[in-house]
Structures are given as C-alpha cells and as structure tokens.
Amino acid sequence: MEHRGTSTARRRIVVVSASFGAGHDGAAAELSRRLRALGHQVDRHDFVDLVPRRAGARLRGLYRRQLTVLPHSWGWLLALAGAPRLAGAAAALTASADDALLAAIGDASAVVSTYPLASQVLGRLRRQGRLAATAITYLTDLSVHPLWIADGVDVHLALHDDVARQAKVLGATDVRVVAPAVAPAFTELVPADALAAVRARLGLPAAPIALVVAGAWGVGSVERAAQDVAATGLAVPVVACGRNDALRRRLNRSGRVVALGWIDDMATLMRACQVVVQNAGGLSSLEALTAGVPVVTYRCLPGHGATNAEALDRIGWVPWIRRRRDLAAGLRAALDRQDRFTPAAALPESFTHLVAA
C-alpha cells in the first residue's frame, strides 16, 4: 500500500516526535518514509524543540539523568502522572507548546504524533477548535499510559488488539490496529557472507550471540544483564551501548562482554545474532521480531519498561524473564525457537491510507 500510482490526493502531513531516546523518533522516521513514498509532503518536528525557552531540552536532560541515576523514581513518577487527579499537570506542562505546534502544522491536512505529550497538545487544540487538521496518535508502546490518550485526538493507532483494548478503556473512541512502523531493512534478507563480514568487522565471536539492547542512551541494569547472560554459558553477550560511551568502556574492560557503540545498521547486526535481550519493550523489540530474531525481556526498566514487558509477555510476542535463576531456561527456549514470526505478518493493515485518505 506504499506504491505510487494510487488515486489518493497528495497532501501535506506533519509528523511530531520527541527525542527522548530513539524509539519515538524511529517510528516517526518510518511513518514519514511511507507517506513520502506515496508522494505526500511530510514535515517532521521534534516536540522538544517546540517547547519554548529550552524547557523541552531541560526536560529531556532530566529524564535521561533520572533513568541513569535513579531509574526506580521514573517508575513512581510515571505511575503518579497517570492519576486522574493530576491530569491538569500534563496540561500545564505542555501549554507553552500550543502556539509553536499550531504554527508548525499550518495548513497540513493531518498531523501524526508518536509522543504522548505532543498528543496532549493536539487533543487540546482540537477541542478548542484551533486545529483543523485530523489529529492521529501512533501508540509506540504495547502498554498504554493514560497520557497517551488525549480527548480530541481523532484516531489512535495501536499495534495489537490488546493495545487497542487498553486505549479504549482509557477513553479513546476511534482505535485502529496497524502493523508496527519498522524500517524495511528489518524485512530484507541478508546474505550469509554479509552477516559474516559484519561479525568480522565488529570482532564478534563465532559462538552464539545474545545482543543486549538498552536504547540510544544505554540505560538500565545493562551491565548486570550482560554478566548474567555470560554466566549462563549459552551465548556471548554483545551489548549495543548506543551513545553511552562510559558504559561501553566499562563493559569492554570486563573481558566477558563485547560492547559496541552507536550502530547505524542495526538490522544486519540483529540478524548476525541468535537472540535479543531487551529492557524497555520499545522499537528494538519490534525490529528484532520483524527481522525474525527471537527476543526476551530481562532486567527491564521501571515504569514503561515493566508495563511493556508485561504486555509483550501477555500477548505472546516476547517472554519476560523475571528472575535470574530463570534466565538460562529462557535463553535456551529462545535459542531453540523454530516458529519465529514478525508482528507485521499478523497485522496487515497499512498505516498510510488512514492518514492520507
């Protein structure tokens, strides 16, 4: 449904993300690519830049520091943010971005948000009659926090029937199930010699590899997770540290872990590994599943990491290994898994015709 030649009118569409890690931006990039493939004009904006007086950048910095230094406090804060009595706090936090976002949207026919606070602004602008464009929220998570659901947003796009159910419980009306927005590189076949070349270039061992991913910032109990994987003797842990250079240096000194910095071709790296160990339930999980690589959750982040882990486990996409003593059995089951599947295969509906129709 991304082919040219469709009779759909060409339109201007705005996609709003937020650079809190890479998951929201990754989904926004793929949605934008699909829309441009249809011939639409697409403008992308970072919600962080739309909040005046660098308040968005400061909020991002606080969020990153919180996940790095006091991750459990993020779980508590996220739970508090979902309480109905604190609904006004989200409005107060985002109100300063109203005019900037409205100006960025301009005469667009539709605007798509991949970030909950941006969705809150869109819903408010629609309720006030200030926004004429169709407002769409693309739910990047498999668990739905109340901040994702904004009264006034026209359509919520969910990645699974269970996600749609959660959204409806929280008040969303028009909810549609769509395939995850994963880049086509994760569906393409990679020749064996290309995988061997990647292993050689990155210095990866010939033994089975467990790719430990921790997002663009490399946050969470990454070191402990890698050491626990190594202790099973089932796979060599290779950690994608993202932009966390301090983590990469510490892990490489341990002698039991291969630690990598920022990786541009994550699709090929994932295929060069036998299992992915993740901690947040975000885009990396969907990318690995789409590439046909089994995934497990282990030592997940508090807050959204735990709620996503529970949701992924419940729908049968990614098992959640909750205890260290269960890690070996969980890894062995993943390494032996034969019925590898992709979420996209189970969710054929295209995103693009919903926003471009």
Side-chain angles (χ1 to χ4, degrees):
M1 300 188 73
E2 298 177 16
H3 301 295
R4 295 183 183 276
T6 177
S7 60
T8 303
R10 306 314 187 196
R11 305 185 180 199
R12 178 172 169 268
I13 299 169
V14 171
V15 178
V16 184
S17 179
S19 51
F20 284 74
H24 301 289
D25 282 343
E30 176 56 17
L31 296 176
S32 299
R33 185 199 67 79
R34 296 183 188 187
L35 290 167
R36 290 189 180 112
L38 287 171
H40 299 292
Q41 177 187 341
V42 180
D43 297 333
R44 274 186 60 191
H45 295 277
D46 186 341
F47 186 75
V48 168
D49 298 330
L50 297 175
V51 183
R53 296 180 293 278
R54 291 189 55 78
R58 288 195 292 272
L59 181 64
R60 179 181 59 197
L62 287 171
Y63 171 65
R64 182 174 184 174
R65 183 166 180 79
Q66 187 175 26
L67 286 182
T68 303
V69 180
L70 292 170
H72 286 287
S73 68
W74 169 243
W76 303 331
L77 180 61
L78 198 63
L80 284 173
R85 65 181 181 278
L86 296 179
L93 184 64
T94 59
S96 62
D98 286 11
D99 291 340
L101 183 52
L102 196 60
I105 296 168
D107 62 354
S109 60
V111 54
V112 185
S113 165
T114 65
Y115 181 62
L117 292 184
S119 295
Q120 290 293 323
V121 175
L122 294 179
R124 179 167 57 247
L125 293 173
R126 287 290 274 165
R127 294 194 306 271
Q128 295 173 348
R130 300 176 64 194
L131 177 62
T134 301
I136 301 167
T137 288
Y138 175 90
L139 299 165
T140 60
D141 289 344
L142 274 296
S143 64
V144 184
H145 189 274
L147 282 178
W148 270 114
I149 308 303
D151 183 24
V153 167
D154 299 280
V155 180
H156 290 80
L157 304 178
L159 305 183
H160 188 276
D161 288 337
D162 187 81
V163 182
R165 175 193 59 78
Q166 296 175 56
K168 290 175 182 177
V169 168
L170 291 171
T173 51
D174 189 348
V175 184
R176 313 190 191 182
V177 177
V178 297
V182 174
F186 292 91
T187 64
E188 297 168 355
L189 295 178
V190 179
D193 57 346
L195 295 179
V198 168
R199 280 178 173 255
R201 177 169 56 83
L202 297 177
L204 304 184
I209 293 174
L211 179 63
V212 181
V213 294
W217 294 342
V219 293
S221 300
V222 185
E223 293 175 78
R224 293 177 66 185
Q227 296 294 347
D228 290 350
V229 169
T232 68
L234 295 170
V236 175
V238 173
V239 182
C241 299
R243 295 187 170 89
N244 192 334
D245 290 333
L247 172 66
R248 177 178 54 80
R249 289 191 294 269
R250 286 198 308 271
L251 287 171
N252 276 329
R253 285 197 298 266
S254 72
R256 304 182 71 191
V257 177
V258 177
L260 307 175
W262 182 260
I263 300 294
D264 289 320
D265 187 5
M266 185 60 79
T268 303
L269 174 61
M270 283 184 174
R271 284 199 177 85
C273 302
Q274 283 64 56
V275 62
V276 169
V277 180
Q278 67 88 34
N279 68 356
L283 184 61
S284 293
S285 300
L286 302 173
E287 290 172 340
L289 290 172
T290 301
V293 182
V295 187
V296 299
T297 302
Y298 183 63
R299 292 196 181 276
C300 60
L301 288 170
H304 67 285
T307 57
N308 282 339
E310 194 279 330
L312 284 163
D313 188 74
R314 183 176 63 247
I315 67 177
W317 281 5
V318 177
W320 181 9
I321 303 172
R322 292 169 170 83
R323 299 171 299 187
R324 182 180 179 183
R325 65 174 178 266
D326 297 328
L327 178 60
L331 284 178
R332 189 175 293 108
L335 291 168
D336 292 343
R337 185 169 182 173
Q338 300 298 318
D339 58 333
R340 299 181 183 180
F341 66 99
T342 68
L347 303 171
E349 187 175 7
S350 170
F351 156 82
T352 51
H353 78 279
L354 296 174
V355 295

PDB file of all heavy atoms in Angstrom, residues 64-85:
ATOM      1  N   ARG A  64      16.700  11.742  31.126  1.00  0.00           N
ATOM      2  CA  ARG A  64      17.859  10.866  30.904  1.00  0.00           C
ATOM      3  C   ARG A  64      18.629  10.654  32.203  1.00  0.00           C
ATOM      4  O   ARG A  64      19.041   9.516  32.513  1.00  0.00           O
ATOM      5  CB  ARG A  64      18.772  11.474  29.845  1.00  0.00           C
ATOM      6  CG  ARG A  64      19.986  10.607  29.526  1.00  0.00           C
ATOM      7  CD  ARG A  64      20.774  11.176  28.371  1.00  0.00           C
ATOM      8  NE  ARG A  64      21.880  10.299  28.009  1.00  0.00           N
ATOM      9  CZ  ARG A  64      22.671  10.497  26.955  1.00  0.00           C
ATOM     10  NH1 ARG A  64      22.463  11.533  26.169  1.00  0.00           N
ATOM     11  NH2 ARG A  64      23.665   9.656  26.694  1.00  0.00           N
ATOM     12  N   ARG A  65      18.821  11.729  32.964  1.00  0.00           N
ATOM     13  CA  ARG A  65      19.552  11.599  34.223  1.00  0.00           C
ATOM     14  C   ARG A  65      18.780  10.726  35.204  1.00  0.00           C
ATOM     15  O   ARG A  65      19.371   9.924  35.946  1.00  0.00           O
ATOM     16  CB  ARG A  65      19.807  12.982  34.824  1.00  0.00           C
ATOM     17  CG  ARG A  65      20.638  12.933  36.098  1.00  0.00           C
ATOM     18  CD  ARG A  65      21.158  14.301  36.473  1.00  0.00           C
ATOM     19  NE  ARG A  65      21.956  14.263  37.694  1.00  0.00           N
ATOM     20  CZ  ARG A  65      23.212  13.873  37.762  1.00  0.00           C
ATOM     21  NH1 ARG A  65      23.830  13.485  36.647  1.00  0.00           N
ATOM     22  NH2 ARG A  65      23.869  13.856  38.898  1.00  0.00           N
ATOM     23  N   GLN A  66      17.466  10.864  35.211  1.00  0.00           N
ATOM     24  CA  GLN A  66      16.653  10.064  36.120  1.00  0.00           C
ATOM     25  C   GLN A  66      16.775   8.583  35.802  1.00  0.00           C
ATOM     26  O   GLN A  66      16.945   7.751  36.699  1.00  0.00           O
ATOM     27  CB  GLN A  66      15.195  10.512  36.024  1.00  0.00           C
ATOM     28  CG  GLN A  66      14.268   9.863  37.040  1.00  0.00           C
ATOM     29  CD  GLN A  66      12.873  10.456  36.965  1.00  0.00           C
ATOM     30  OE1 GLN A  66      12.443  10.959  35.932  1.00  0.00           O
ATOM     31  NE2 GLN A  66      12.147  10.391  38.072  1.00  0.00           N
ATOM     32  N   LEU A  67      16.724   8.229  34.512  1.00  0.00           N
ATOM     33  CA  LEU A  67      16.860   6.830  34.128  1.00  0.00           C
ATOM     34  C   LEU A  67      18.254   6.290  34.427  1.00  0.00           C
ATOM     35  O   LEU A  67      18.427   5.094  34.670  1.00  0.00           O
ATOM     36  CB  LEU A  67      16.564   6.671  32.634  1.00  0.00           C
ATOM     37  CG  LEU A  67      15.101   6.776  32.198  1.00  0.00           C
ATOM     38  CD1 LEU A  67      14.992   6.558  30.702  1.00  0.00           C
ATOM     39  CD2 LEU A  67      14.221   5.778  32.938  1.00  0.00           C
ATOM     40  N   THR A  68      19.236   7.172  34.408  1.00  0.00           N
ATOM     41  CA  THR A  68      20.617   6.745  34.635  1.00  0.00           C
ATOM     42  C   THR A  68      20.939   6.613  36.121  1.00  0.00           C
ATOM     43  O   THR A  68      21.566   5.637  36.553  1.00  0.00           O
ATOM     44  CB  THR A  68      21.594   7.742  33.983  1.00  0.00           C
ATOM     45  OG1 THR A  68      21.302   7.847  32.586  1.00  0.00           O
ATOM     46  CG2 THR A  68      23.034   7.282  34.156  1.00  0.00           C
ATOM     47  N   VAL A  69      20.493   7.584  36.900  1.00  0.00           N
ATOM     48  CA  VAL A  69      20.894   7.650  38.308  1.00  0.00           C
ATOM     49  C   VAL A  69      19.859   7.036  39.244  1.00  0.00           C
ATOM     50  O   VAL A  69      20.191   6.276  40.156  1.00  0.00           O
ATOM     51  CB  VAL A  69      21.174   9.119  38.706  1.00  0.00           C
ATOM     52  CG1 VAL A  69      21.585   9.206  40.177  1.00  0.00           C
ATOM     53  CG2 VAL A  69      22.249   9.717  37.814  1.00  0.00           C
ATOM     54  N   LEU A  70      18.585   7.365  39.030  1.00  0.00           N
ATOM     55  CA  LEU A  70      17.510   6.887  39.911  1.00  0.00           C
ATOM     56  C   LEU A  70      16.377   6.288  39.073  1.00  0.00           C
ATOM     57  O   LEU A  70      15.268   6.840  39.025  1.00  0.00           O
ATOM     58  CB  LEU A  70      16.977   8.044  40.769  1.00  0.00           C
ATOM     59  CG  LEU A  70      17.929   8.609  41.833  1.00  0.00           C
ATOM     60  CD1 LEU A  70      17.342   9.880  42.416  1.00  0.00           C
ATOM     61  CD2 LEU A  70      18.175   7.580  42.926  1.00  0.00           C
ATOM     62  N   PRO A  71      16.623   5.168  38.402  1.00  0.00           N
ATOM     63  CA  PRO A  71      15.608   4.628  37.491  1.00  0.00           C
ATOM     64  C   PRO A  71      14.291   4.277  38.176  1.00  0.00           C
ATOM     65  O   PRO A  71      13.224   4.419  37.575  1.00  0.00           O
ATOM     66  CB  PRO A  71      16.284   3.394  36.886  1.00  0.00           C
ATOM     67  CG  PRO A  71      17.377   3.046  37.848  1.00  0.00           C
ATOM     68  CD  PRO A  71      17.840   4.334  38.429  1.00  0.00           C
ATOM     69  N   HIS A  72      14.337   3.820  39.433  1.00  0.00           N
ATOM     70  CA  HIS A  72      13.092   3.437  40.097  1.00  0.00           C
ATOM     71  C   HIS A  72      12.191   4.646  40.339  1.00  0.00           C
ATOM     72  O   HIS A  72      10.968   4.516  40.378  1.00  0.00           O
ATOM     73  CB  HIS A  72      13.384   2.723  41.410  1.00  0.00           C
ATOM     74  CG  HIS A  72      13.884   1.324  41.218  1.00  0.00           C
ATOM     75  ND1 HIS A  72      13.063   0.287  40.813  1.00  0.00           N
ATOM     76  CD2 HIS A  72      15.132   0.803  41.339  1.00  0.00           C
ATOM     77  CE1 HIS A  72      13.781  -0.826  40.708  1.00  0.00           C
ATOM     78  NE2 HIS A  72      15.035  -0.537  41.015  1.00  0.00           N
ATOM     79  N   SER A  73      12.790   5.825  40.466  1.00  0.00           N
ATOM     80  CA  SER A  73      11.977   7.026  40.650  1.00  0.00           C
ATOM     81  C   SER A  73      11.167   7.332  39.398  1.00  0.00           C
ATOM     82  O   SER A  73      10.105   7.950  39.479  1.00  0.00           O
ATOM     83  CB  SER A  73      12.865   8.222  41.023  1.00  0.00           C
ATOM     84  OG  SER A  73      13.692   8.602  39.925  1.00  0.00           O
ATOM     85  N   TRP A  74      11.661   6.892  38.232  1.00  0.00           N
ATOM     86  CA  TRP A  74      10.898   7.094  36.995  1.00  0.00           C
ATOM     87  C   TRP A  74       9.623   6.256  37.019  1.00  0.00           C
ATOM     88  O   TRP A  74       8.557   6.713  36.609  1.00  0.00           O
ATOM     89  CB  TRP A  74      11.743   6.730  35.776  1.00  0.00           C
ATOM     90  CG  TRP A  74      10.944   6.668  34.506  1.00  0.00           C
ATOM     91  CD1 TRP A  74      10.735   5.580  33.723  1.00  0.00           C
ATOM     92  CD2 TRP A  74      10.229   7.739  33.889  1.00  0.00           C
ATOM     93  NE1 TRP A  74       9.941   5.888  32.648  1.00  0.00           N
ATOM     94  CE2 TRP A  74       9.608   7.218  32.718  1.00  0.00           C
ATOM     95  CE3 TRP A  74      10.050   9.075  34.197  1.00  0.00           C
ATOM     96  CZ2 TRP A  74       8.830   7.996  31.875  1.00  0.00           C
ATOM     97  CZ3 TRP A  74       9.267   9.861  33.347  1.00  0.00           C
ATOM     98  CH2 TRP A  74       8.665   9.320  32.209  1.00  0.00           C
ATOM     99  N   GLY A  75       9.709   5.058  37.532  1.00  0.00           N
ATOM    100  CA  GLY A  75       8.509   4.236  37.649  1.00  0.00           C
ATOM    101  C   GLY A  75       7.476   4.872  38.552  1.00  0.00           C
ATOM    102  O   GLY A  75       6.278   4.889  38.238  1.00  0.00           O
ATOM    103  N   TRP A  76       7.925   5.421  39.669  1.00  0.00           N
ATOM    104  CA  TRP A  76       6.982   6.085  40.587  1.00  0.00           C
ATOM    105  C   TRP A  76       6.360   7.317  39.936  1.00  0.00           C
ATOM    106  O   TRP A  76       5.153   7.541  40.036  1.00  0.00           O
ATOM    107  CB  TRP A  76       7.711   6.507  41.871  1.00  0.00           C
ATOM    108  CG  TRP A  76       8.381   5.385  42.582  1.00  0.00           C
ATOM    109  CD1 TRP A  76       8.004   4.061  42.594  1.00  0.00           C
ATOM    110  CD2 TRP A  76       9.568   5.454  43.378  1.00  0.00           C
ATOM    111  NE1 TRP A  76       8.873   3.318  43.343  1.00  0.00           N
ATOM    112  CE2 TRP A  76       9.846   4.134  43.851  1.00  0.00           C
ATOM    113  CE3 TRP A  76      10.422   6.488  43.750  1.00  0.00           C
ATOM    114  CZ2 TRP A  76      10.938   3.843  44.654  1.00  0.00           C
ATOM    115  CZ3 TRP A  76      11.512   6.195  44.561  1.00  0.00           C
ATOM    116  CH2 TRP A  76      11.764   4.891  45.005  1.00  0.00           C
ATOM    117  N   LEU A  77       7.190   8.116  39.252  1.00  0.00           N
ATOM    118  CA  LEU A  77       6.692   9.341  38.630  1.00  0.00           C
ATOM    119  C   LEU A  77       5.687   9.022  37.526  1.00  0.00           C
ATOM    120  O   LEU A  77       4.655   9.691  37.397  1.00  0.00           O
ATOM    121  CB  LEU A  77       7.868  10.139  38.059  1.00  0.00           C
ATOM    122  CG  LEU A  77       7.510  11.458  37.364  1.00  0.00           C
ATOM    123  CD1 LEU A  77       6.834  12.413  38.345  1.00  0.00           C
ATOM    124  CD2 LEU A  77       8.762  12.101  36.767  1.00  0.00           C
ATOM    125  N   LEU A  78       5.983   7.985  36.744  1.00  0.00           N
ATOM    126  CA  LEU A  78       5.072   7.623  35.662  1.00  0.00           C
ATOM    127  C   LEU A  78       3.730   7.154  36.205  1.00  0.00           C
ATOM    128  O   LEU A  78       2.673   7.470  35.653  1.00  0.00           O
ATOM    129  CB  LEU A  78       5.707   6.527  34.799  1.00  0.00           C
ATOM    130  CG  LEU A  78       5.118   6.323  33.404  1.00  0.00           C
ATOM    131  CD1 LEU A  78       5.319   7.575  32.557  1.00  0.00           C
ATOM    132  CD2 LEU A  78       5.749   5.129  32.716  1.00  0.00           C
ATOM    133  N   ALA A  79       3.754   6.416  37.306  1.00  0.00           N
ATOM    134  CA  ALA A  79       2.505   5.985  37.930  1.00  0.00           C
ATOM    135  C   ALA A  79       1.710   7.180  38.437  1.00  0.00           C
ATOM    136  O   ALA A  79       0.481   7.250  38.257  1.00  0.00           O
ATOM    137  CB  ALA A  79       2.809   5.014  39.071  1.00  0.00           C
ATOM    138  N   LEU A  80       2.386   8.148  39.041  1.00  0.00           N
ATOM    139  CA  LEU A  80       1.702   9.346  39.523  1.00  0.00           C
ATOM    140  C   LEU A  80       1.111  10.154  38.370  1.00  0.00           C
ATOM    141  O   LEU A  80       0.013  10.696  38.476  1.00  0.00           O
ATOM    142  CB  LEU A  80       2.688  10.226  40.309  1.00  0.00           C
ATOM    143  CG  LEU A  80       3.046   9.771  41.719  1.00  0.00           C
ATOM    144  CD1 LEU A  80       4.151  10.658  42.289  1.00  0.00           C
ATOM    145  CD2 LEU A  80       1.817   9.811  42.620  1.00  0.00           C
ATOM    146  N   ALA A  81       1.850  10.222  37.259  1.00  0.00           N
ATOM    147  CA  ALA A  81       1.396  11.013  36.117  1.00  0.00           C
ATOM    148  C   ALA A  81       0.112  10.456  35.509  1.00  0.00           C
ATOM    149  O   ALA A  81      -0.617  11.175  34.826  1.00  0.00           O
ATOM    150  CB  ALA A  81       2.493  11.066  35.052  1.00  0.00           C
ATOM    151  N   GLY A  82      -0.187   9.180  35.772  1.00  0.00           N
ATOM    152  CA  GLY A  82      -1.397   8.588  35.232  1.00  0.00           C
ATOM    153  C   GLY A  82      -2.618   8.768  36.103  1.00  0.00           C
ATOM    154  O   GLY A  82      -3.725   8.394  35.712  1.00  0.00           O
ATOM    155  N   ALA A  83      -2.431   9.350  37.289  1.00  0.00           N
ATOM    156  CA  ALA A  83      -3.559   9.526  38.204  1.00  0.00           C
ATOM    157  C   ALA A  83      -4.495  10.613  37.692  1.00  0.00           C
ATOM    158  O   ALA A  83      -4.038  11.689  37.284  1.00  0.00           O
ATOM    159  CB  ALA A  83      -3.044   9.893  39.598  1.00  0.00           C
ATOM    160  N   PRO A  84      -5.823  10.369  37.682  1.00  0.00           N
ATOM    161  CA  PRO A  84      -6.767  11.368  37.170  1.00  0.00           C
ATOM    162  C   PRO A  84      -6.645  12.719  37.855  1.00  0.00           C
ATOM    163  O   PRO A  84      -6.816  13.760  37.221  1.00  0.00           O
ATOM    164  CB  PRO A  84      -8.128  10.714  37.444  1.00  0.00           C
ATOM    165  CG  PRO A  84      -7.850   9.247  37.495  1.00  0.00           C
ATOM    166  CD  PRO A  84      -6.484   9.126  38.090  1.00  0.00           C
ATOM    167  N   ARG A  85      -6.334  12.714  39.140  1.00  0.00           N
ATOM    168  CA  ARG A  85      -6.280  13.981  39.871  1.00  0.00           C
ATOM    169  C   ARG A  85      -5.107  14.855  39.424  1.00  0.00           C
ATOM    170  O   ARG A  85      -5.051  16.054  39.748  1.00  0.00           O
ATOM    171  CB  ARG A  85      -6.171  13.713  41.374  1.00  0.00           C
ATOM    172  CG  ARG A  85      -4.893  13.033  41.820  1.00  0.00           C
ATOM    173  CD  ARG A  85      -4.887  12.784  43.326  1.00  0.00           C
ATOM    174  NE  ARG A  85      -3.665  12.162  43.793  1.00  0.00           N
ATOM    175  CZ  ARG A  85      -3.410  10.865  43.745  1.00  0.00           C
ATOM    176  NH1 ARG A  85      -4.313  10.037  43.232  1.00  0.00           N
ATOM    177  NH2 ARG A  85      -2.267  10.386  44.201  1.00  0.00           N
TER     178      ARG A  85
END
